[in-house]
Amino acid sequence: MITETAPGTAIRTARIPGSKSLTNRLLLLAAAAEGTSRIHAPLVGGDTVAFRDALRECGIPVDSSPLDEYWEVTGAGGGPTGRARVWCADAGTAARFLPSYTATGSGTFLVDGSSQLRARPLQALLEALRGLGADIEAGPGNGLPLLIRAEGLAGGEISVESSPSSQYLSGLLMAAPLMRDGLRVRAPGLVSRPYIDMTLALMRRYGAEVTEGGDGDLRVEPGVYTAVDTVVEPDASTASYVFAAAAVTGRTVTVPGLGTGSLQGDLRFVEILAKAGAEVRVDEAATTVTGTGRLRGGFTVDMGDVSDTFMTLAAIAPLADAPITIHGIGHTRLKESDRIAAMAQNLRACGVDTDQGTDWITVHPGTPRPARIACHHDHRVAMAFSVLGLTTPNTLTLDDPRCVAKTFPGFHGELCRLFPWYEPPVGAAESVEEHR
């Protein structure tokens, strides 16, 4: 959609799918609730479909409307029961959330996933669950597969090392009302705090009683979730790509449904674009970014709380007029790929100088040269470099363009619709026409 605002200007309205983080949290809360919940406008992508199907394997009915406008979840009023093999595919949220949920139930659950997911750490989560009395056998390196012999959890007081991922804590918190005594938890080293705030807000929406002490401790009382109907916001992490594209092409892009009341911390990415020289407007109904023809660098930014968007900034940083340093992102080395290393490797392949450390990367200005981008089966690598490719047509190719299906199956088509000169990579062209 193009809405003329003044002669020579146009606002392009982006069609961003629903938030993965919200969809998967809502699925779990609806599964645990008493009654039937409708989740409107869910993300229909690799991770959320895997999560939905995993709940079905646990005996939770999840019905889809004909065009997936909504998913209807009939909750168990607690943890699942029976025996199930719970397949998480590549979905990290499923592997971090479902062990806590299944442990509150009754039965035997084998939680497993892809080889990529088996390589991701779970030790801190396992230590927390075992500390609450869970009977769990883990795979090599304290990762998947997990055999969980569930007899419910008493709850109590624990400390959760959260520096590798905030998802451990989110999974435990969402399961906490199902524990007999509730849960009091401390989380030293917590990263991505906005995701915990999102989790708590949704838990309260479903009726959980949560309090936070002055020292940051969280207390969740035992209780019962109550079914709720919810509309999922567009994914703010995914929106970062079209916002960045606007910033570097001098165009204006609006994402409706992402406004001042958003639950997603990653919307703060637009504040960083404003620091880099873009014009940003956020109101109750939408967020709009306009490129000004210049990208400013020469700054350092802590993106620990919005780390899913750091690669978006790193990918466009070569176009800035001075280096940009991003820090606080050490935990992203344990995501779908070692994301700091993946960005440095691919930027160097494009002829762009980078420096990196344990939890930081510096990207220097440069003119990208033709290169084949190694996606490492990581959707965010593919989408970030697609944005850079807008500024240098026909110079960048992706070795795995379809990996974007994890969170945005129609990404290449939507980018082509918004920016008609975009050349979709080989292997993605078949999906472009339907998104124009």
Side-chain angles (χ1 to χ4, degrees):
M1 173 181 175
I2 299 179
T3 304
E4 294 295 338
T5 56
T9 66
I11 296 175
R12 285 161 173 80
T13 301
R15 301 180 300 205
I16 302 298
S19 162
K20 179 186 78 170
S21 299
L22 288 171
T23 299
N24 280 346
R25 283 165 173 78
L26 289 168
L27 279 169
L28 190 143
L29 293 169
E34 288 186 342
T36 298
S37 302
R38 277 193 177 181
I39 302 171
H40 295 271
L43 170 64
V44 184
D47 274 16
T48 55
V49 168
F51 202 111
R52 179 197 67 188
D53 292 348
L55 287 175
R56 288 172 172 168
E57 290 161 355
C58 290
I60 305 297
V62 184
D63 298 320
S64 304
S65 63
L67 297 178
D68 282 318
E69 300 100 333
Y70 63 83
W71 291 346
E72 194 168 79
V73 184
T74 302
T81 60
R83 297 174 62 89
R85 180 177 184 268
V86 183
W87 180 250
C88 299
D90 284 334
T93 46
R96 274 78 179 272
F97 292 175
L98 290 174
S100 298
Y101 175 58
T102 55
T104 66
S106 175
T108 303
F109 304 93
L110 179 64
V111 181
D112 202 0
S114 66
S115 58
Q116 182 191 58
L117 199 55
R118 284 187 172 194
R120 296 175 68 175
L122 288 175
Q123 183 170 345
L125 175 61
L126 297 177
E127 289 175 353
L129 285 172
R130 286 168 175 154
L132 293 169
D135 181 357
I136 303 177
E137 289 184 25
N142 277 318
L144 297 181
L146 305 179
L147 180 62
I148 301 172
R149 301 180 184 90
E151 297 180 351
L153 292 176
E157 183 172 343
I158 57 170
S159 178
V160 182
E161 174 53 52
S162 299
S163 57
S165 174
S166 66
Q167 291 176 355
Y168 304 149
L169 180 56
S170 281
L172 288 160
L173 288 170
M174 287 188 287
L178 311 182
M179 301 176 192
R180 290 185 288 276
D181 298 324
L183 186 68
R184 181 177 178 182
V185 59
R186 292 179 292 109
L190 177 62
V191 297
S192 303
R193 172 66 202 225
Y195 284 97
I196 299 302
D197 294 335
M198 175 195 297
T199 298
L200 297 177
L202 294 176
M203 289 171 60
R204 291 179 174 120
R205 188 176 296 179
Y206 273 78
E209 184 180 342
V210 185
T211 56
E212 185 169 359
D215 54 2
D217 288 7
L218 295 166
R219 171 70 189 179
V220 183
E221 301 299 329
V224 179
Y225 286 122
T226 303
V228 177
D229 292 350
T230 307
V231 178
V232 179
E233 300 173 10
D235 193 292
S237 307
T238 300
S240 73
Y241 306 110
V242 299
F243 289 144
V248 299
T249 61
R251 296 210 165 191
T252 298
V253 171
T254 289
V255 176
L258 272 182
T260 51
S262 173
L263 293 176
Q264 300 174 77
D266 278 2
L267 186 55
R268 297 177 193 170
F269 177 74
V270 298
E271 298 173 8
I272 301 171
L273 288 181
K275 185 181 183 69
E279 294 179 359
V280 174
R281 184 175 73 251
V282 184
D283 59 30
E284 291 182 2
T287 296
T288 301
V289 173
T290 300
T292 58
R294 178 188 175 203
L295 199 67
R296 291 197 300 262
F299 62 85
T300 297
V301 58
D302 185 341
M303 296 187 72
D305 281 346
V306 293
S307 60
D308 275 349
T309 65
F310 101 80
M311 293 188 294
T312 317
L313 179 63
I316 65 171
L319 309 176
D321 58 11
I324 294 176
T325 296
I326 304 165
H327 66 94
I329 53 173
H331 58 286
T332 67
R333 291 188 181 275
L334 302 173
K335 296 282 189 175
E336 285 87 336
S337 65
D338 179 336
R339 287 178 164 170
I340 296 176
M343 292 307 296
Q345 170 200 358
N346 283 308
L347 286 167
R348 286 195 298 269
C350 295
V352 175
D353 290 336
T354 66
D355 305 303
Q356 62 170 302
T358 303
D359 79 334
W360 61 272
I361 185 171
T362 297
V363 182
H364 298 269
T367 301
R369 66 191 182 201
R372 182 171 175 81
I373 301 302
C375 296
H376 299 279
H377 198 52
D378 190 330
H379 55 133
R380 300 208 182 280
V381 174
M383 290 190 277
F385 278 96
S386 294
V387 175
L388 179 60
L390 285 171
T391 66
T392 53
N394 303 311
T395 61
L396 302 183
T397 60
L398 307 177
D399 70 353
D400 185 13
R402 297 188 185 188
C403 67
V404 300
K406 186 176 177 73
T407 49
F408 194 173
F411 171 77
H412 298 294
E414 182 66 0
L415 208 61
C416 190
R417 187 183 70 84
L418 294 170
F419 306 94
W421 66 89
Y422 175 67
E423 290 291 335
V426 175
E430 68 275 7
S431 67
V432 168
E433 286 301 321
E434 63 189 80
H435 291 275
R436 283 186 185 277

